[in-house]
Amino acid sequence: MSDYLQIDGLQVDRSLHRFVVDEALPGSGVEEAAFWSGFAELIRDHAPRNRALLARRVELQEQIDAWHRGRSAGATSPSTEYVRFLEDIGYLEPEGADFAIDTEHVDEEIANLPGPQLVVPVSNARYALNAANARWGSLYDALYGTDALGDLPVRGPYDPERGSRVVRWVRDFLDDVVPLASGSHLEAAGYGVVDGELEVTLDGGRRTMLSTPENFVGSAGDPSSPAAILLTHHGLHIELLIDRMAPVGAADLAGVDDVVIEAAVTA
């Protein structure tokens, strides 16, 4: 057991110990001794219950296997008979009264953000990286390369007509989720930040703001000519990437080269 350390009655793998002490605890405000004693107490409290639950799972599985083996090959199981059997062995419990669950002390991603949940084991770096990357995606690419517009793109070089349809769709989307106080994102000739608020210059020179200023979260680059604008809708974010030198941005009145959305939530 030379690879393990004896701490508060636990046998702790040395590499796990190094990770906790050198990487996890620094900056957390939790003392090393308090962490290990608390962890040991949790193990002592819950390990017997976990063992009992695992034993009960094995017992139920053996009963279910025996029930199926006792039936003739190829016979179908009447649903009422099978349900009654599962109730008799305690696999199914009677339906209880209506109840409510609150979300106190639950992560924001699970409690309040309305999006698909990408739940992954943090121990698998590849899964975690894929899920984090999947959280954000180009709305332009998603529309151009799929049948979301009602048809598939034709194979070959970039189709400017399809690109224009994508831009119109996205501007309509912006009008729906982050509308302007007046005018439309379709008319936008420029985005800028003035006194901490998003200002949109429309074609013709008229200036307007968001109808809900709180939808503006921040920007990157020069406020008068930002490289990115970050907006929010129901807790999920939308990023306008502005680059008048890029192929798409050069053809756009407001210089918007891409619109990236937070399409899923990683927990």
Side-chain angles (χ1 to χ4, degrees):
M1 302 299 292
S2 59
D3 289 337
Y4 291 84
L5 299 172
Q6 302 295 324
I7 305 174
D8 283 290
L10 300 175
Q11 294 179 350
V12 181
D13 182 86
R14 290 180 183 274
S15 34
L16 173 61
H17 181 267
R18 282 195 301 271
F19 167 75
V20 170
V21 173
D22 297 339
E23 299 184 44
L25 292 182
S28 69
V30 178
E31 295 294 331
E32 179 183 347
F35 171 82
W36 291 116
S37 64
F39 185 47
E41 184 177 355
L42 285 173
I43 299 251
R44 285 191 291 269
D45 287 347
H46 294 288
R49 176 61 173 158
N50 285 340
R51 281 194 291 269
L53 290 171
L54 290 171
R56 176 60 174 154
R57 184 177 70 174
V58 170
E59 178 187 352
L60 288 171
Q61 188 63 62
E62 288 175 346
Q63 290 177 291
I64 292 171
D65 290 346
W67 189 88
H68 284 290
R69 283 194 296 266
R71 303 185 65 79
S72 60
T76 58
S77 305
S79 60
T80 54
E81 180 187 351
Y82 190 46
V83 168
R84 190 180 307 114
F85 161 72
L86 294 177
E87 290 174 342
D88 289 343
I89 67 174
Y91 185 88
L92 292 180
E93 294 288 344
E95 183 176 347
D98 291 343
F99 61 93
I101 299 176
D102 62 31
T103 54
E104 186 178 3
H105 305 308
V106 177
D107 288 348
E108 183 77 5
E109 285 83 355
I110 295 175
N112 296 316
L113 294 185
Q117 298 284 340
L118 301 175
V119 182
V120 296
V122 72
S123 58
N124 189 310
R126 181 169 63 86
Y127 287 2
L129 181 61
N130 288 344
N133 288 338
R135 183 167 185 161
W136 292 87
S138 167
L139 187 53
Y140 278 8
D141 287 349
L143 291 166
Y144 187 95
T146 70
D147 63 355
L149 292 176
D151 53 28
L152 287 169
V154 177
R155 290 181 178 273
Y158 175 74
D159 178 3
E161 190 278 331
R162 186 175 182 84
S164 295
R165 290 170 59 199
V166 167
V167 171
R168 287 195 301 272
W169 193 101
V170 172
R171 294 300 203 278
D172 287 339
F173 166 75
L174 294 176
D175 284 341
D176 184 41
V177 299
V178 285
L180 302 178
S182 63
S184 164
H185 285 278
L186 273 167
E187 307 171 74
Y191 292 90
V193 180
V194 178
D195 296 329
E197 293 191 1
L198 182 64
E199 181 180 82
V200 182
T201 302
L202 302 179
D203 190 16
R206 186 161 51 97
R207 298 175 186 273
T208 186
M209 316 292 282
L210 293 174
S211 63
T212 304
E214 292 77 14
N215 285 341
F216 172 63
V217 177
S219 65
D222 184 350
S224 64
S225 181
I229 296 290
L230 189 63
L231 307 169
T232 184
H233 175 66
H234 290 328
L236 296 172
H237 295 85
I238 306 160
E239 187 175 25
L240 311 185
L241 301 180
I242 302 171
D243 185 354
R244 294 185 181 275
M245 302 300 293
V248 175
D252 187 84
L253 188 62
V256 176
D257 186 56
D258 201 356
V259 175
V260 180
I261 61 171
E262 190 177 17
V265 176
T266 306

